[in-house]
Amino acid sequence: MGLAKRIIPCLDVTAGRVVKGVNFVGLRDAGDPIEIARRYDEQGADELTFLDITASSDERDIILHIIEEVANQVFIPLTVGGGVRSVEDVRRLLNAGADKVGINTAAVTNPQLVADASSRFGSQCIVVAIDAKQVSAEGEPLLWHVFTHGGRKDTGLDAVAWAKKMESLGAGEILLTSMDRDGTKIGFNLDLTRAVSDAVSIPVIASGGVGNLDHLVDGVKKGHADAVLAASIFHYGEFTVRQAKEYMAKNQIEVRL
Amino acid sequence: MADIAVIDYGMGNLRSVAKAFEHVAPQLDIIVSSDPDEISKAGRVVFPGVGAMPDCIRELESRGLREAVVEAAKAKPFLGICLGMQALFESSEEGNAAGLGILPGRVLRFPAEAMVDDKGQKLKVPHIGWNEVHQAAEHPMWSGIPTGARFYFVHSYYVEAGDPDLVAGFTLYPFAFTAAVARDNIFAVQFHPEKSQATGLTLLANFVMWDGQAQVSACGADACL
């Protein structure tokens, strides 16, 4: 027996509340972040990821208070992303109690940030978040582009090549979200996940589209993901984290039970 | 004087270590300190850290903390965590850095060519996540923790102990590497007990209770199974 595949509930936070949208729009309230974090911890979550989806910069400090409060009560790794633009932003989140910080749009506009942050704080705490979308047409060789600004802007970058570049700059992990799947509940984009995971030697967290427990199993078995991230299936009580882990174990995936 | 001093040398999130100790021992005075005097007066010392080994040694020296760490490791209950374990050894492949040389052995990078599991699947580096720690020796720090319990790891380098008797626990990835070492008043772990939920908190609670006496005995054929 060896390293367990991780299940990571994701909490999208705005104005101090956990919300969830479909394809990055149409938000629905899911509750209090601290309460939800404690619940997932009790259910056996391997880590927690918080994405600050606040639009305005003057509300950024809210996430710091939330992370401080969660880190006082929950003793599993915490990743925080959303709006991280500078080494100073990374430092503030780590000081608030985050163990890892996710960098998304800023990695594209300023790749040097990934290098600077990982050399300052260590690769282990720098997660590069990639929002990818299929741009190849039916019948063409598969191609995915990196999108930024919450999925609105096509950067023209090949997502697989981009992941490799982020690894070379010092990313410790890739959080890979299939944008066309996010919130749809039809499952991960397995071709994308496998292409990225096989191309890099750092762990890849699959995200976007989980609607049932088979999707989690597929993400690991067919997508070669090292960890799977999901939001809606846990937020609205369809499944507990423990049920998800038991189901994965039943499907011969090593998990921490 | 503080009950527990967490050594602050600018490497990583030390507050999470202090917070976890505050959780298991709310009655104790726990400080995060870079003052050699405070550290030398504390009853117990924790040497945490994440990041790179060359930076670790440089930061210790620039803050005048090298001696404080060496002295604490001689005398009082001492817990090394992650980089704080690796730094106790003689040298590291990471930047060809010299370590503190308190324990014999060296720190190596997971070799790319070996990172395949028994199903032929590629194993990623850093080694991130929950893996099993097999106890190789009895020790008060393992009290209440079953052998094979999972702890949270995040690292690309591992310790190759120069003396097999140092090894208190090992983990498979894919080969057996040193997950914990023990000698006299020193106990050091590659994983993060402060991030390993209930199992990790048990280990930290054990440290709070530990008298720092070496009670390590090598495992017999069936003693630890």
Side-chain angles (χ1 to χ4, degrees):
Chain A
M1 301 299 273
L3 184 65
K5 298 295 180 185
R6 289 168 281 157
I7 296 194
I8 307 175
C10 180
L11 290 68
D12 290 354
V13 178
T14 187
R17 298 290 290 179
V18 176
V19 295
K20 188 60 203 167
V22 176
N23 290 110
F24 289 57
V25 292
L27 300 177
R28 176 178 165 195
D29 187 86
D32 173 62
I34 294 153
E35 221 170 89
I36 292 176
R38 287 177 57 164
R39 185 165 78 227
Y40 293 155
D41 175 50
E42 282 162 17
Q43 292 176 3
D46 295 311
E47 296 183 22
L48 294 174
T49 290
F50 295 81
L51 292 180
D52 181 8
I53 59 166
T54 305
S56 67
S57 55
D58 53 334
E59 288 181 4
R60 288 265 174 242
D61 284 353
I62 296 175
I63 194 76
L64 295 175
H65 299 309
I66 291 171
I67 296 306
E68 272 176 25
E69 199 49 49
V70 171
N72 278 332
Q73 308 177 25
V74 168
F75 300 97
I76 56 175
L78 308 175
T79 300
V80 187
V84 175
R85 289 186 182 83
S86 65
V87 168
E88 176 60 17
D89 289 341
V90 175
R91 194 188 65 79
R92 273 155 41 101
L93 288 168
L94 293 176
N95 281 351
D99 300 286
K100 308 187 227 183
V101 171
I103 303 177
N104 188 339
T105 297
V108 174
T109 55
N110 175 23
Q112 186 60 31
L113 172 61
V114 175
D116 291 347
S118 67
S119 77
R120 168 96 182 266
F121 306 108
S123 284
Q124 82 292 330
C125 66
I126 302 303
V127 180
V128 170
I130 300 176
D131 293 339
K133 193 172 179 176
Q134 189 165 328
V135 291
S136 52
E138 191 80 28
E140 284 179 2
L142 290 167
L143 179 67
W144 303 270
H145 276 181
V146 178
F147 282 67
T148 56
H149 299 85
R152 294 188 300 276
K153 193 176 158 201
D154 182 358
T155 64
L157 295 162
D158 174 346
V160 176
W162 182 246
K164 291 170 81 164
K165 181 174 180 190
M166 292 297 100
E167 175 182 16
S168 71
L169 285 181
E173 226 170 2
I174 300 285
L175 168 55
L176 179 66
T177 301
S178 167
M179 272 192 46
D180 20 16
R181 299 296 178 94
D182 195 54
T184 62
K185 313 198 96 185
I186 58 172
F188 295 121
N189 184 327
L190 297 174
D191 291 323
L192 166 69
T193 306
R194 188 171 53 248
V196 172
S197 190
D198 289 355
V200 297
S201 50
I202 55 178
V204 171
I205 304 161
S207 157
V210 173
N212 62 46
L213 301 183
D214 282 313
H215 293 153
L216 298 176
V217 171
D218 288 346
V220 171
K221 287 198 159 174
K222 298 179 183 164
H224 298 175
D226 301 284
V228 286
L229 181 138
S232 328
I233 61 162
F234 299 133
H235 291 345
Y236 304 111
E238 282 167 74
F239 301 102
T240 63
V241 177
R242 189 160 314 279
Q243 284 172 323
K245 289 183 143 187
E246 283 166 357
Y247 191 79
M248 289 173 84
K250 215 174 76 184
N251 284 274
Q252 288 80 49
I253 293 172
E254 190 162 355
V255 292
R256 176 180 70 108
L257 282 171
Chain B
M1 66 170 229
D3 296 307
I4 300 176
V6 178
I7 300 176
D8 176 9
Y9 56 108
M11 298 293 287
N13 186 0
L14 310 174
R15 277 186 49 200
S16 64
V17 176
K19 279 178 184 171
F21 272 113
E22 284 162 14
H23 189 82
V24 297
Q27 74 285 5
L28 297 187
D29 179 20
I30 296 150
I31 58 169
V32 175
S33 176
S34 53
D35 177 351
D37 196 43
E38 279 186 336
I39 293 164
S40 74
K41 285 182 182 148
R44 292 161 201 278
V45 168
V46 181
F47 183 36
V50 291
M53 181 86 143
D55 299 337
C56 164
I57 301 299
R58 195 180 59 236
E59 290 295 323
L60 278 179
E61 279 174 355
S62 75
R63 288 157 200 253
L65 285 169
R66 187 190 177 113
E67 214 34 52
V69 174
V70 171
E71 284 306 308
K74 279 181 189 161
K76 53 189 82 171
F78 183 98
L79 176 64
I81 298 175
C82 194
L83 189 59
M85 165 182 174
Q86 296 181 357
L88 301 178
F89 288 83
E90 291 161 312
S91 67
S92 174
E93 274 189 345
E94 190 171 19
N96 277 321
L100 297 172
I102 294 167
L103 299 174
R106 53 190 188 147
V107 181
L108 305 173
R109 188 175 166 89
F110 282 112
E113 65 279 7
M115 304 316 290
V116 179
D117 71 9
D118 53 7
K119 298 184 197 92
Q121 186 98 20
K122 176 167 66 174
L123 295 174
K124 305 296 185 69
V125 177
H127 172 230
I128 299 183
W130 300 78
N131 207 333
E132 295 175 347
V133 175
H134 305 280
Q135 296 167 17
E138 289 177 30
H139 196 283
M141 288 290 287
W142 292 136
S143 175
I145 300 170
T147 189
R150 289 186 187 273
F151 288 89
Y152 187 83
F153 289 83
V154 47
H155 61 124
S156 300
Y157 292 79
Y158 66 94
V159 164
E160 185 186 68
D163 174 359
D165 287 345
L166 284 175
V167 178
F170 65 90
T171 291
L172 301 176
Y173 196 67
F175 51 85
F177 73 85
T178 306
V181 293
R183 195 185 74 185
D184 303 330
N185 57 307
I186 299 173
F187 195 87
V189 294
Q190 180 61 65
F191 51 82
H192 289 272
E194 77 281 12
K195 288 290 159 184
S196 297
Q197 223 212 11
T199 312
L201 296 178
T202 299
L203 188 112
L204 297 182
N206 289 343
F207 180 68
V208 171
M209 302 295 294
W210 183 35
D211 60 6
Q213 295 299 305
Q215 294 178 24
V216 182
S217 59
C219 260
D222 50 18
C224 300
L225 298 175

